[in-house]
Amino acid sequence: MSLLSQLFFLILLGVSAFFIGRRILQIRKNILLGKEEDRTDQPQRRLKTMLLVAFGQKKMFKRPIAAFLHLLIYVGFLLINLEVLEIVLDGLFGTHRLFAPLLGSFYPVLINFFEFLVVGVIFSCVVFLIRRHVLKISRFTKIEMKGWPTMDATLILVIELVLMVAILAMNGADQVLQTKAVAGYPVTGAFFFSSIFIPLFEPLSANTLIIIERVAWWGHIAGIFAFAYYITYSKHLHIFLAFPNTYFSNLKEKGEIKNMDNVTNEVKSMLGLPADPPPAEIPRFGAKDINDLSWKHLMDAYACTECGRCTDSCPANTTGKVLSPRTIMMKTRDRAEEVGESIRKGGAGLEDGKSLYGDYINKEELLACTTCNACVEACPITIDPLSIIIEMRRYMAMEESSTPQSWNAMFQNVETSFAPWKFPPTDRFNWAQDVKAKISDQ
Amino acid sequence: MSDFNIQIPTVAELTAKGEKPDVLFWVGCAGSFDDRYKKVTKAFVKILDKVGVKFAVLGEEETCTGDPARRAGNEFLFQMQAMANIQVLNGYEITKIVTACPHCFNTLKNEYPALGGDYEVVHHSTYLQELIDQGKVTAKEGDFKGKKITFHDSCYLGRANNIYEAPRKVLEILDAELVEMKRCKTNGLCCGAGGAQMFKEPENGKKDINIERTEEALDTGAEIIASGCPFCMTMMSDGVKNKEKEGQVVVKDLAELIAEAEDLI
């Protein structure tokens, strides 16, 4: 029996690892559809940013209540994995509570600690469900959240709840089995929270309890594998990508818009300054599709958990314009997924007649941005929707020449009068007349 | 007129005399042409003159930094402007620049280095704070006593460059009551004009951003809305007019408030 279950466990583990691994490689490929960008300078500062922002949750605390609840789930996620390690090893070796004899009297302390975390996770998931479905907090009910995004969020919370309840049921049944001195269930001592199941389980027969314990055990671990696979299709991928995403984040001042070196080259040639020879292939100016963005933009998109803090703080969005920084990230990911899936199936990929700009994100959204950096500031994992917006504006201005008439007028003023307003450049110093010392006075 | 006593040398004039300014005052397009912001330029020049710093301006040689062009997506135009300006600045061997415009400040400080323009660039709020710290600028007591002032963080000073304390430190010497808006500092709300929005009509929505921001400013009960940016100045002034509060509430730049407190206006 044990050998059979060990074999079954091994198959389950192998199949899960295969599917999850395949999906991870696919996401990696999708992200690498983006252009190169060097984000490897200042490794120490990058590591520090990652430790503070992702590991330390620093930016979450701008909203203390959400941050506290999130912290409970986060710490639970990090630490309960130790118990999952024991479960995996038990599954492989056909043992039960492998760590119990190794850890001795510390074992029940540890399990009790995990149970506290489990209850913390359950509490947070319930409050999060209430916030989304009863209180209907505005950033969770905006237009871009209709349908799948809300379903995704709900599923995640419900699955987490089920997984946590399975741990408690497993431990509860285990405790009763211990008192009944059933073989294979070594005495570990009492567990604090799962003991609430004891009155419920006590009257049941040993066989029934073993079934309950095994169902909960298999349910928990199979659920974790399934969830891990599901996550790769979900906004919940942030639990992994938050770490590299903060590591590779922009370390420069937020106000700096990245220079376009290919333009520099052309401008230098126009001004008769020494410049590199022009490239054989004319580069695209700005971004029309995901391959014009950098890999970091695409990683941002996959790391986004759709919390909506960006959109909530966006001045354009809060005053009713169609721009939503969260939508920019969601659409970018949708497009990367679409293109990646098409390539995987041997389809048209990027040449499918669609593009990120136009089919997913429209001009009106892009034009509404004030480049104020509120979205960048708000993001708990340093996602930068603004630089995607700027790249698409560049496409609009330099490839399509479709900027609004009033901007074209501004461009023309800058070109001919050297100011965005149409004033004669010779009047630029007139302001000084009122305050300037008269030459004759000297 | 008492105003007629300030020397405003251009860098060209100084160079002709074989001299160099310690600091270049980058006036900016708004500071040069906008009637309202010209008053800020003059106020700041009076402060510079009073503290006796050796400054100069570019005068007619100054041109748009290219900030609105770059943010509207026109990188070519931005770089044309930037390179022309860098040629002028480098030609005069300029090392330190002060400006009252956060957009000029951000572009000169953060974006010109990639094109060969490396300068120490200071926004006038930081510059004023330094003058206060050095004791060179003080405020006469009483002018602002008991008045409520709220400071509107401009995005290109605050979030873009992490300057939040300097403008507040400047306001502190006014002996007024500094009140904060609901959204301030890192959470500050844009005036609605950044990213080249100054130069086009806003997209359709429920309301204009400057109205939303003005409402927040008025909610503080402040009589003075202090700003440190020409775009914010315009947007907030328009907002105050829209709310028909121009009788009770004024929008003033940090430099104007300091010049007033120093009896320079």
Side-chain angles (χ1 to χ4, degrees):
Chain A
M1 182 62 196
S2 171
L3 258 184
L4 199 66
S5 71
Q6 270 173 273
L7 187 68
F8 185 69
F9 188 85
L10 191 67
I11 293 169
L12 180 71
L13 185 67
V15 169
S16 307
F18 172 77
F19 280 105
I20 294 165
R22 197 177 66 163
R23 190 57 197 147
I24 288 169
L25 289 178
Q26 180 62 43
I27 290 170
R28 191 185 134 83
K29 265 189 202 161
N30 294 354
I31 288 174
L32 291 178
L33 288 169
K35 287 193 298 189
E36 271 182 48
E37 178 164 15
D38 185 18
R39 286 281 174 90
T40 53
D41 59 322
Q42 310 178 63
Q44 277 188 322
R45 226 182 121 195
R46 295 191 174 281
L47 192 67
K48 197 179 150 199
T49 308
M50 184 179 82
L51 288 175
L52 277 174
V53 178
F55 191 74
Q57 308 270 295
K58 184 181 164 201
K59 291 187 83 182
M60 281 299 289
F61 278 88
K62 278 207 154 189
R63 296 184 189 221
I65 298 173
F68 173 71
L69 294 165
H70 181 267
L71 188 72
L72 289 179
I73 298 187
Y74 168 68
V75 173
F77 162 74
L78 284 184
L79 297 179
I80 296 170
N81 276 320
L82 288 172
E83 192 174 359
V84 175
L85 176 72
E86 185 192 40
I87 291 175
V88 170
L89 294 175
D90 276 343
L92 286 173
F93 300 137
T95 48
H96 184 66
R97 297 200 181 266
L98 180 70
F99 293 167
L102 299 173
L103 297 174
S105 61
F106 183 62
Y107 186 78
V109 177
L110 199 64
I111 299 291
N112 270 316
F113 175 60
F114 292 148
E115 287 204 350
F116 268 93
L117 295 176
V118 164
V119 171
V121 174
I122 290 173
F123 173 73
S124 291
C125 287
V126 170
V127 179
F128 279 155
L129 281 170
I130 292 170
R131 275 158 45 101
R132 278 178 187 267
H133 295 284
V134 182
L135 303 177
K136 294 194 189 296
I137 287 183
S138 70
R139 65 193 160 104
F140 298 135
T141 52
K142 286 190 186 269
I143 182 124
E144 65 265 29
M145 299 310 283
K146 298 271 176 289
W148 169 243
T150 293
M151 178 57 111
D152 185 22
T154 308
L155 269 174
I156 291 158
L157 292 170
V158 171
I159 294 170
E160 283 176 1
L161 272 176
V162 170
L163 290 174
M164 293 304 110
V165 171
I167 291 190
L168 291 183
M170 179 182 89
N171 284 350
D174 198 305
Q175 280 180 86
V176 181
L177 286 164
Q178 290 175 29
T179 58
K180 291 187 191 272
V182 177
Y185 288 94
V187 176
T188 57
F191 304 141
F192 192 76
F193 284 106
S194 58
S195 55
I196 56 162
F197 283 99
I198 291 178
L200 197 70
F201 290 161
E202 201 114 59
L204 303 176
S205 74
N207 275 343
T208 315
L209 282 170
I210 291 173
I211 290 169
I212 291 172
E213 194 273 336
R214 285 291 93 188
V215 166
W217 189 94
W218 281 101
H220 181 66
I221 192 66
I224 284 175
F225 291 154
F227 191 45
Y229 181 64
Y230 171 75
I231 281 171
T232 64
Y233 286 98
S234 152
K235 66 151 195 142
H236 209 52
L237 193 56
H238 81 285
I239 62 173
F240 298 112
L241 282 182
F243 294 88
N245 207 62
T246 48
Y247 183 85
F248 294 118
S249 57
N250 179 26
L251 298 180
K252 295 184 174 153
E253 294 284 17
K254 288 195 188 78
E256 179 184 343
I257 289 178
K258 199 168 175 269
N259 197 60
M260 288 178 73
D261 295 336
N262 49 7
V263 170
T264 309
N265 212 27
E266 292 214 16
V267 171
K268 276 184 178 168
S269 308
M270 284 159 72
L271 295 173
L273 297 167
D276 298 335
E281 201 183 330
I282 298 166
R284 176 173 280 163
F285 297 116
K288 181 188 186 190
D289 212 339
I290 51 159
N291 60 322
D292 302 320
L293 294 171
S294 88
W295 64 266
K296 182 56 175 57
H297 289 134
L298 302 184
M299 182 185 267
D300 273 1
Y302 274 100
C304 173
T305 198
E306 301 168 10
C307 71
R309 292 181 182 209
C310 52
T311 294
D312 221 23
S313 65
C314 171
N317 189 277
T318 45
T319 54
K321 282 97 179 157
V322 285
L323 172 65
S324 158
R326 170 170 56 187
T327 308
I328 302 286
M329 302 321 297
M330 291 165 73
K331 296 293 181 195
T332 304
R333 180 177 57 208
D334 289 350
R335 176 64 181 158
E337 272 294 295
E338 182 184 59
V339 171
E341 187 62 13
S342 168
I343 293 172
R344 192 177 70 83
K345 288 181 175 159
L350 287 156
E351 312 301 323
D352 60 356
K354 288 199 265 179
S355 60
L356 180 63
Y357 169 67
D359 293 299
Y360 285 79
I361 296 169
N362 68 41
K363 206 165 139 178
E364 191 183 339
E365 299 170 60
L366 300 170
L367 288 178
C369 174
T370 67
T371 71
C372 75
N373 267 302
C375 55
V376 185
E377 177 68 41
C379 181
I381 55 168
T382 66
I383 290 171
D384 182 358
L386 174 55
S387 71
I388 296 181
I389 294 171
I390 292 286
E391 287 303 325
M392 283 192 280
R393 275 191 181 177
R394 284 171 164 173
Y395 177 81
M396 207 190 288
M398 291 186 283
E399 294 270 354
E400 258 193 356
S401 302
S402 68
T403 33
Q405 195 46 49
S406 40
W407 272 1
N408 296 339
M410 178 265 286
F411 295 154
Q412 208 182 352
N413 291 337
V414 172
E415 247 179 272
T416 55
S417 310
F418 312 117
W421 298 281
K422 200 173 176 60
F423 290 106
T426 44
D427 285 357
R428 190 176 269 273
F429 199 28
N430 287 358
W431 61 268
Q433 294 311 319
D434 301 340
V435 274
K436 215 172 174 184
K438 278 184 180 168
I439 305 294
S440 56
D441 290 351
Q442 289 176 13
Chain B
M1 275 171 78
S2 63
D3 270 348
F4 277 75
N5 53 9
I6 296 177
Q7 303 254 353
I8 309 170
T10 61
V11 188
E13 285 166 5
L14 285 191
T15 308
K17 288 199 281 181
E19 290 174 30
K20 259 179 65 182
D22 291 335
V23 55
L24 170 77
F25 172 33
W26 184 277
V27 182
C29 300
S32 305
F33 294 117
D34 181 85
D35 281 338
R36 177 68 187 85
Y37 222 65
K38 275 196 261 184
K39 291 181 182 165
V40 177
T41 306
K42 291 174 201 169
F44 189 60
V45 161
K46 286 174 187 169
I47 297 169
L48 290 176
D49 176 70
K50 185 183 174 250
V51 298
V53 60
K54 191 174 181 186
F55 75 97
V57 296
L58 282 171
E60 288 177 21
E61 283 189 280
E62 189 186 287
T63 75
C64 172
T65 59
D67 158 88
R70 173 169 260 193
R71 276 144 191 85
N74 194 336
E75 182 77 1
F76 274 99
L77 182 55
F78 163 74
Q79 292 201 13
M80 291 293 284
Q81 284 302 119
M83 279 197 219
N85 282 323
I86 289 168
Q87 278 184 332
V88 171
L89 292 167
N90 288 356
Y92 285 128
E93 294 174 355
I94 295 298
T95 50
K96 184 168 179 174
I97 301 173
V98 62
T99 178
C101 172
H103 294 268
C104 296
F105 163 69
N106 176 69
T107 303
L108 291 166
K109 174 177 170 281
N110 296 323
E111 298 181 349
Y112 276 26
L115 297 165
D118 281 292
Y119 321 103
E120 182 195 348
V121 189
V122 190
H123 183 251
H124 78 323
S125 58
T126 310
Y127 196 76
L128 288 171
Q129 190 216 323
E130 283 168 9
L131 292 176
I132 291 166
D133 290 348
Q134 292 161 6
K136 290 182 182 164
V137 162
T138 48
K140 156 174 78 61
E141 257 179 59
D143 273 4
F144 293 92
K145 203 166 178 69
K147 285 196 174 165
K148 274 189 184 174
I149 301 184
T150 188
F151 177 68
H152 162 73
D153 285 285
S154 85
C155 308
Y156 273 82
L157 199 57
R159 273 191 299 266
N161 287 289
N162 280 307
I163 297 174
Y164 300 105
E165 287 312 311
R168 289 176 170 78
K169 285 263 160 60
V170 171
L171 293 173
E172 266 173 27
I173 69 156
L174 296 179
D175 196 23
E177 188 192 343
L178 193 55
V179 285
E180 293 290 355
M181 287 184 242
K182 200 174 75 197
R183 282 177 273 196
C184 63
K185 298 182 184 170
T186 55
N187 296 325
L189 183 74
C190 173
C191 70
Q197 300 295 345
M198 186 75 188
F199 307 102
K200 71 167 181 54
E201 287 301 312
E203 277 39 61
N204 284 331
K206 288 188 303 231
K207 97 167 46 153
D208 285 346
I209 295 168
N210 67 323
I211 302 299
E212 172 95 358
R213 187 52 167 170
T214 305
E215 285 168 359
E216 280 190 354
L218 296 178
D219 281 348
T220 62
E223 299 138 83
I224 300 169
I225 301 171
S227 74
C229 169
F231 293 176
C232 298
M233 166 77 78
T234 304
M235 298 307 268
M236 298 305 281
S237 302
D238 286 354
V240 170
K241 265 184 225 140
N242 181 282
K243 294 278 163 192
E244 295 178 350
K245 292 279 183 197
E246 62 264 49
Q248 298 104 294
V249 179
V250 291
V251 185
K252 287 203 169 157
D253 186 87
L254 298 167
E256 290 180 301
L257 294 167
I258 293 297
E260 222 174 290
E262 288 243 49
D263 265 344
L264 295 172
I265 289 181

